[in-house]
Amino acid sequence: MDKFVNATRLIGVLDSALARPRVRGNAKSIGGIWCDMAMQYTKSILEKEMSAGGEFRRVVHAHWIEHEADFGESLYCECSSCHDSTGIECKLFCGACGAIMDEQTITVKDY
């Protein structure tokens, strides 16, 4: 499953949160001040990255399809995103497409 962050929309959400009315008038708690500073910092990082033509890439989350032989040994692992096959070791990411393997591994019996 691909997951994207819309940086422009996130900046709008941060602006809305920063402009929210205060519960106790204009008084801010220390926690509120730190929260506002964190949101302003996050916003500035996004704006700088966008204005500099920062490279944003899609993040692909996938899982391994582990193929087993009839004797229970693992034959090879197949990426669910690009269907490239690796050796018998299922790693934390696909070496071919870069997908993060954070979903449940599926075992398929090849016999």
Side-chain angles (χ1 to χ4, degrees), residues 32-99:
I33 292 171
W34 282 108
C35 185
D36 286 356
M37 288 173 56
M39 287 189 288
Q40 288 170 349
Y41 182 67
T42 302
K43 180 183 168 192
S44 70
I45 290 172
L46 284 170
E47 288 173 338
K48 285 178 190 173
E49 196 65 31
M50 288 174 63
S51 67
E55 183 178 326
F56 295 91
R57 65 181 182 96
R58 67 186 190 131
V59 177
V60 178
H61 297 266
H63 60 272
W64 288 116
I65 302 169
E66 186 177 10
H67 293 265
E68 284 187 351
D70 60 348
F71 48 87
E73 293 282 329
S74 180
L75 292 174
Y76 63 94
C77 295
E78 174 187 353
C79 174
S80 66
S81 178
C82 70
H83 299 286
D84 185 62
S85 300
T86 65
I88 59 171
E89 188 177 353
C90 298
K91 299 180 181 178
L92 297 176
F93 64 93
C94 176
C97 70

Side-chain angles (χ1 to χ4, degrees), residues 6-16 42-43 46-47 50:
N6 183 331
T8 307
R9 183 169 175 226
L10 181 55
I11 288 172
V13 169
L14 290 169
D15 282 337
S16 297
T42 302
K43 180 183 168 192
L46 284 170
E47 288 173 338
M50 288 174 63

Side-chain angles (χ1 to χ4, degrees), residues 20-29 33:
R20 70 190 180 283
R22 305 289 173 223
V23 176
R24 299 180 190 168
N26 288 331
K28 289 185 181 180
S29 68
I33 292 171

